Amino acid sequence: MLDRRNVLQLSVLLFGSVLLVSAFVEELDDSFLESRDPDDIWLIEFYTPWCSFCRHLDPVWHQIGSELRSFGSPVRVGKSDATVSTALAKEFRVRNYPAILMFKNQVKYNYAGSRTKDGIMAFSDRVSGPLVRSLSSVQLFQHTMNRHDVMFVYVGAKSELKGNYTTAAEELIVHTFFFSATRDVLPKAVTLPSLPAVMVFKDGTYFFYNEERDGDLKSWINRERFPNFLEIDGYTLYAMGESGKLVLLALVEETHLCDESLRNFYFGFMQGSNYISGLIMGDVIVPSFIVVNLSNDGYFLPQRHVETEHHLLDFLEGVLNGSVESLGGNGFSQRIRRAVYETKLTLVPLFRDAPGLGCFLLGFPLSIGTIFCYLCIKNRPTQTDDEDKSPQRRKKPRDKKTD
């Protein structure tokens, strides 16, 4: 009797916890835009019932809602079924699922990072706060440096450069933080060539933006917002394609991650090879190196096995001077090859796991197409029918001869 009572109490507690966590995430419908408070900041997920990624994200989404509420964050967390609230999904121009965005001051900020709790929480912290955060003391500056791998800082008074910096922050705040500081709070080792200045701290060092050398400020920030060496997933690799830089990847096995052999290089590494195998449409030996040019979906592979630093430097020099052949690309023939590859990738597992269903799905549209072609050919009028239906030509009467 006592055990049953304990089980019942435990079930009630678990049910209450689920309800409490669910209460931190609100279900939104098409009336959201009319009923919401204009001052509210919303973190919204658009999902569909048939999306497996949405189902995997659902428990993470409720954890995010619970943690933001417990931290006292002003951000309200909601989710919306795009198949039910179609007008709301259309208003926010949702195309892929799950779609994550923040709605603040009538502006939509799309999240394009990995679907993890830490990544989404960091996105919420960046976008919900001030566009450019002021660092008012040496201690605060040092604390911020310890927390961020990459840190952009504007130093100086109000100027045209600061206006450009703020404009860049409006678009790139979804990717990185932006800070401002006075000269006296910078580390003593930092030497400013002139004021105002924009600088970036990363990889244990710092350097300045130079308009003549670096071009547009926003493009420079977009190029430099990644550390020189980091672990890369599919989302990060896609984002790196917008920087205009080539990406060198070291592909390593998931169970043998070790940066002893990579510590002298500032390169990215990726666990496994599934993403790259899809890019090059073939198998990749792990571990290996590959240089990826995401501006045109091109890539470079070493001509021999890279065993030493000298081999790696030769490979990189070959990429730069053109002696290493560029593969892939987004030309017409490559697109045809990719369409064939993706079709094969979809059909092979289907025929292997469920051959009957695969034959039906492939044979049914072919049968319909064959019947349609047969009916079109059968009902096509012949040349004889056309001649029979054509009006007979009338003979013109001869002109009478005049006397």
Side-chain angles (χ1 to χ4, degrees):
M1 185 69 179
L2 185 60
D3 292 340
R4 290 183 179 179
R5 183 178 298 176
N6 291 337
V7 171
L8 181 61
Q9 290 177 349
L10 181 60
S11 301
V12 171
L13 288 174
L14 291 175
F15 182 71
S17 299
V18 172
L19 289 179
L20 186 61
V21 171
S22 300
F24 298 140
V25 177
E26 303 178 43
E27 190 73 31
L28 307 179
D29 55 24
D30 288 337
S31 64
F32 167 72
L33 292 177
E34 289 76 19
S35 60
R36 76 176 192 92
D37 190 326
D39 295 329
D40 286 343
I41 303 173
W42 281 90
L43 182 65
I44 307 172
E45 175 211 358
F46 285 91
Y47 67 94
T48 59
W50 45 261
C51 173
S52 60
F53 296 104
C54 301
R55 291 194 293 271
H56 293 157
L57 180 63
D58 191 62
V60 175
W61 197 253
H62 284 88
Q63 292 177 18
I64 292 171
S66 176
E67 290 197 16
L68 288 177
R69 182 68 62 87
S70 64
F71 293 157
S73 172
V75 177
R76 300 178 66 177
V77 181
K79 63 178 184 177
S80 178
D81 186 344
T83 62
V84 176
S85 305
T86 55
L88 186 62
K90 184 178 180 181
E91 180 68 25
F92 284 107
R93 300 180 181 180
V94 175
R95 297 291 182 269
N96 301 315
Y97 304 99
I100 299 173
L101 58 91
M102 177 164 284
F103 195 52
K104 172 187 173 184
N105 297 332
Q106 304 296 324
V107 179
K108 180 187 72 168
Y109 299 90
N110 291 313
Y111 175 67
S114 58
R115 270 50 175 172
T116 61
K117 186 182 75 171
D118 292 340
I120 298 172
M121 291 282 286
F123 166 77
S124 175
D125 182 28
R126 280 196 308 272
V127 180
S128 63
L131 200 60
V132 178
R133 307 185 183 211
S134 177
L135 303 176
S136 55
S137 66
V138 176
Q139 293 78 8
L140 181 59
F141 193 98
Q142 189 62 44
H143 174 73
T144 306
M145 280 187 62
N146 294 335
R147 287 187 57 198
H148 299 281
D149 295 329
V150 179
M151 179 174 153
F152 292 97
V153 182
Y154 172 83
V155 185
K158 187 175 181 180
S159 64
E160 182 182 356
L161 180 61
K162 186 173 184 180
N164 295 336
Y165 183 74
T166 305
T167 301
E170 291 176 353
E171 182 175 341
L172 300 178
I173 190 65
V174 296
H175 301 302
T176 188
F177 285 91
F178 290 83
F179 301 95
S180 65
T182 57
R183 190 169 191 167
D184 56 332
V185 304
L186 298 178
K188 295 181 179 180
V190 175
T191 303
L192 288 172
S194 62
L195 287 177
V198 176
M199 53 195 308
V200 59
F201 293 83
K202 68 175 184 178
D203 303 313
T205 185
Y206 66 92
F207 47 95
F208 296 92
Y209 163 72
N210 184 293
E211 185 176 4
E212 294 182 0
R213 179 192 62 211
D214 302 317
D216 178 63
L217 176 60
K218 186 178 73 172
S219 301
W220 176 78
I221 293 174
N222 198 36
R223 290 195 302 269
E224 301 299 339
R225 62 185 176 89
F226 299 101
N228 286 337
F229 176 75
L230 73 161
E231 181 179 357
I232 298 175
D233 56 16
Y235 294 101
T236 308
L237 186 60
Y238 179 81
M240 283 180 162
E242 301 176 355
S243 68
K245 290 186 177 182
L246 295 175
V247 181
L248 174 65
L249 283 175
L251 304 179
V252 298
E253 295 181 8
E254 186 173 355
T255 55
H256 294 86
L257 288 180
C258 176
D259 46 28
E260 284 295 323
S261 60
L262 307 174
R263 61 186 178 183
N264 295 323
F265 315 118
Y266 295 103
F267 307 137
F269 66 96
M270 178 177 285
Q271 298 182 11
S273 60
N274 293 336
Y275 187 93
I276 298 300
S277 295
L279 176 67
I280 71 174
M281 294 177 285
D283 296 329
V284 181
I285 300 175
V286 177
S288 63
F289 291 95
I290 179 173
V291 172
V292 181
N293 184 0
L294 293 174
S295 63
N296 61 0
D297 292 333
Y299 60 91
F300 303 84
L301 293 174
Q303 298 174 344
R304 60 177 178 175
H305 186 62
V306 177
E307 297 180 348
T308 65
E309 180 180 349
H310 181 70
H311 293 164
L312 183 59
L313 292 176
D314 287 344
F315 169 52
L316 294 180
E317 185 178 355
V319 171
L320 295 177
N321 61 29
S323 62
V324 176
E325 181 185 4
S326 175
L327 305 172
N330 51 13
F332 179 75
S333 61
Q334 193 70 12
R335 293 180 183 179
I336 297 296
R337 183 187 170 202
R338 179 164 297 280
V340 173
Y341 173 79
E342 292 178 351
T343 303
K344 178 182 176 182
L345 204 64
T346 303
L347 294 180
V348 168
L350 180 62
F351 278 94
R352 182 184 64 241
D353 300 334
L357 178 61
C359 292
F360 172 77
L361 293 177
L362 186 62
F364 181 74
L366 290 177
S367 301
I368 296 297
T370 303
I371 294 173
F372 179 77
C373 293
Y374 172 75
L375 294 176
C376 290
I377 295 174
K378 184 179 179 181
N379 295 329
R380 181 182 178 185
T382 62
Q383 186 176 1
T384 305
D385 295 336
D386 292 340
E387 292 178 355
D388 292 340
K389 294 180 181 179
S390 62
Q392 294 182 352
R393 295 180 179 177
R394 296 180 179 180
K395 295 181 178 180
K396 294 183 180 180
R398 294 181 178 179
D399 295 335
K400 293 183 179 180
K401 293 182 178 180
T402 58
D403 293 334

